[in-house]
Amino acid sequence: MDASIQKPLLGAPDSAYQTFPLIFPAPSLVLSFSYRTLQNKRLFLAVFAAVLGNFNFGYALVYTSPVIPALETSNIPALKITRVEQSWFGSVFTLGAAAGGLSAMLLNDRLGRKLSIMFSAVPSAVGYAFMGSAQGVWMLLLGRLLTGYAGGVTAASIPVYISEISHPGVRGVLGACPQIMAVLGSLILYALGLKLSWRWLAVAGEVPVLTMIILLCFMPNSPRFLISKGKDDEAVRVLRWLRGQNTDFHREFEQIKESVRQQSRRISCAEIKDPFIYKPILIAVLMRFLQQLSGVTPILVYLQSIFQSTAVILKPEYDAAIVGGVRLASVLIAAFSMDKAGRKILLFVSAGIMLASNLILGLYIHYTSLPSHNSTTTIVNGTLLSPESLTAKPSGYITLIPLVATMLFIMGYAMGWGPITWLLMSEILPLKARGVASGLCVLVSWLTAFALTRFFLLVVQDFGLEVPFLFFAVICAGNLLFTGCCVPETKGRSLEQIESYFRTGRRSFMRNHI
């Protein structure tokens, strides 16, 4: 699963918008407070300790990319992986992440955000140990399941922890860190894959896990969680530690306490029938569903195998590393430009780029392929597809088309459908339904990712590599239509304006308020 599912609840820069319904002081006081907070290195240290979990998530997600080709030629018979085992090896991570995301809803309330993140280190470390010492495919699958579970917990816990310890003046900047660190983790995995064997890649994965749990031992719980448990004195001490002695942390404490009181009310079953409730939930769930159907997770999970099958002029492992670098650069650009453009225009551009790249790649594979994909000669030593039988061996710079198309896809995804789906979810979901609705979105997202990664290789084997990419192109075309018909523009709108829009359906509430 793509690291984008870890995008936190970010607020728009407009003063009328707040991710949480707090009553903040005047803008001059906020700026002054934010400036002092920026000088407080403890806050940034706490964020860094937490986002190491996102780094590990990104690392573990794409672990299969260099490992599957290595296992196809393994000298150990018990580790020589079959096509069905490859599909399970790639997809079981997302199944574990679905379970982890759901369990995090309970863990966050019972243990707290910090302890939930620390708890994720246990299955992650055990999972890497299983994969690093694997003597059979079952150990690899169990390791992937455990690291996936840990990834699901961190995906649900870390953004909440960061948003709750950060001051509103820096929440937007720090909120981009989970996604950036997840993408960085994937890039480091691709880079290490150039030099390390698959067993040592698993050993290297233990390093950020152990570093994270050691640093978090010295970090505080979030003030919001402490207040929700009645530990007001400890919450005040934590705010003093995070903000500094000379800041107005008592004022922030009162704001958080009032917010916790307002959010304590749970949604009833009868209220779900209200269009104000079910319409934004339906939009958020469909966005998560369509985001995964665009193909980002199977492309990342099987990246090196895809390049191996398309006979790119460069070595597949180098192609994967290049794409990882482009992905990181794209996420960095998107993180600092997302609030300068409208949500819908970025979603349109993103879907258009993904549509073009998937279509180009699908047509390239189709027109450089031999007529038959069902010949028994298309599978050699368990590789994804044999270039000798599937392709007509294109030569020269034309073989760079798959690499360029994949780079464009990753860039397009990072511009819109990756981060904005999470941002819109935080903006349109009613506050009292956010917990349940967010869990539903996570479940739909991971189960869709599991289905795609589970059957991707099998579809390729039976119908050819171009079929999945042409399917992804059709989905991206559907994303364009969905954006135009169903997604509201929320840039510069307050939560009250967005709520009024869903209550009445009158677009006048969404105009002239930028």
Side-chain angles (χ1 to χ4, degrees), residues 471-488:
F471 170 77
F472 298 152
V474 172
I475 294 299
C476 291
N479 290 355
L480 288 170
L481 295 175
F482 178 79
T483 301
C485 298
C486 303
V487 178

Side-chain angles (χ1 to χ4, degrees), residues 348-379:
F348 277 126
V349 173
S350 172
I353 294 175
M354 291 192 296
L355 167 61
S357 58
N358 277 321
L359 188 61
I360 290 171
L361 188 52
L363 292 176
Y364 170 85
I365 297 169
H366 177 75
Y367 285 109
T368 57
S369 301
L370 293 180
S372 174
H373 296 296
N374 294 319
S375 170
T376 57
T377 61
T378 58
I379 304 176

